[in-house]
Amino acid sequence: MRTHKKLLVSLLASTAALLVSPNLLAAPVVLELDYDIPVQKNQVAFVAFAGDTVLSPVILNDLSKTELTVTNTDLPQQPHSSNELAGTLPVWQSMGIPYLVVGSTRTNRGKIVTDYEVIDVKSGRVIQGKQSLTADNNRESMRYAGHVIADKVYELITGIPGDFSGRIAYIEETGTGKQKVSRLKVMDADGENAKTITEVAGSIFSPAWSPDGNRIAYSVQREQSYPIIYVQNVSGGGATVLTPFAGSNLSPSFSPDGSKILFSSSYEGSADIYEMSASGGTPRRLTNLPSSEVQPSYAPDGKSFVYVSDRTGFNKPQVYRYEFGSGRTTKVSNGGYATSPQFSSDGTQIAFLSGRSAAIMNSNGAVTTNLGNTGIDEAPSFSPNGKRVVYASTQGGKGILTIKSLNGGEAFGKSGQGIIRSPVWSSSPK
């Protein structure tokens, strides 16, 4: 197994100063994607879809970055439907490749319809029958359709939903001091199709996706002002101010149903955790302690949330859990320095920053994965199915965005511009 670079997460603490990123010169950014080591050679044969030039490369690229090993070379024929396998199935069976993916595209009322099948080669059975997907006839829609199809193919084979159609939001910083410009960007989960959602003179912190993948909440700190939380639709339109309060308003987290947002704020004194409607209004204070309570993150079931408190001593932050029903709090992390917690989608794991290292612990606080020092103190963020994480780091003066399988893997990179911070993965847009 290869050694992987560590990730960095900025600690959003009780004051804006704790959240302000260090002044860093703009530098090339490398997107590095790490994926699972193949279990066996050539588990899936993929035949380019008939009539298509956009979908097939996307699907092949996505699937090749999973634990499924995919081949599209040296195939005995180029079928585009299961019907074309009549009489030749024994030839495919002799290859020892368990699964075959075939398909074709057609035009219907200006839309592109893709019909595809995942075939269990041993039995010749089409898993869950023929699948169809309709997309607009433009490159962006077709690329997204490719990610959706890759998700479905992966799920039909493994029983686990794929995470290619989710998107990754991240912050890109250029310039320093008064010349610093921060951009909130969104890209596809394969590192392509990056777009700027908003750009500010100053700093952006802690983007958080709504559960439906359509909105992002984030904090903005301009020169000589407090951090303010905004909510913005990813598809366009202006940002809405959520927290027009004095003090540091940081670390938004959407509830599982998207109706509420947790955040930390010092507008009533020391930093505490508040909950309010995602459309604005009056916040409800959930913690009221002399210590600083920051970085809340909802549990997937919405019955509790994790957060960070320094109640045990200055510069000794720990992760705690708050239960909505009883108001009871319990310590989750086990000593050391623990910040920036975020649940996996099934609630069994928590990604966090352990000292200077990006790490993952189980719900009882035991560290299960240590991803190492990222150089910018950033924690990882889980992919929708919990099989991968995304995190930011620096190496050799370059910002690096890494997507890493939790089972080890290979890597490839892509260059960009700026220092990268706080990447977070959405679920698939509904």
Side-chain angles (χ1 to χ4, degrees), residues 160-227:
I160 300 168
D163 50 25
F164 307 109
S165 56
R167 291 175 289 179
I168 296 171
Y170 61 97
I171 300 159
E172 181 183 78
E173 298 174 352
T174 56
T176 61
K178 293 182 179 180
Q179 282 70 50
K180 180 193 243 184
V181 174
S182 299
R183 298 172 182 87
L184 177 62
K185 307 188 82 170
V186 172
M187 69 179 184
D188 292 350
D190 61 355
E192 299 293 329
N193 203 29
K195 293 185 175 182
T196 297
I197 301 301
T198 192
E199 177 179 313
V200 302
S203 297
I204 300 176
F205 303 112
S206 56
W209 288 95
S210 63
D212 60 8
N214 291 326
R215 292 169 292 161
I216 299 179
Y218 56 93
S219 291
V220 172
Q221 184 176 24
R222 297 178 172 86
E223 188 178 3
Q224 297 181 336
S225 68
Y226 289 110

Side-chain angles (χ1 to χ4, degrees), residues 15 39 96 170-171 233 240 311 320 365-366 426 429:
T15 67
V39 176
Y170 61 97
I171 300 159
N233 196 302
T240 300
R311 68 182 68 175
Y320 292 80
S426 82

Side-chain angles (χ1 to χ4, degrees), residues 311-330:
R311 68 182 68 175
T312 60
F314 177 73
N315 205 30
K316 295 180 180 179
Q318 295 294 311
V319 175
Y320 292 80
R321 189 167 191 155
Y322 176 101
E323 297 177 14
F324 281 106
S326 64
R328 184 168 67 103
T329 63
T330 53

Side-chain angles (χ1 to χ4, degrees), residues 364-426:
N364 295 321
V367 175
T368 58
T369 303
N370 190 319
L371 298 165
N373 189 325
T374 59
I376 54 173
D377 293 349
E378 292 230 344
S381 169
F382 285 103
S383 70
N385 64 15
K387 292 176 68 67
R388 295 185 278 173
V389 290
V390 59
Y391 59 89
S393 63
T394 59
Q395 185 179 45
K398 295 181 178 181
I400 299 174
L401 192 60
T402 299
I403 294 175
K404 177 176 173 49
S405 163
L406 296 177
N407 297 322
E410 300 176 354
F412 70 90
K414 181 180 178 180
S415 295
Q417 292 296 322
I419 295 300
I420 298 299
R421 297 186 180 280
S422 306
V424 61
W425 210 317
S426 82

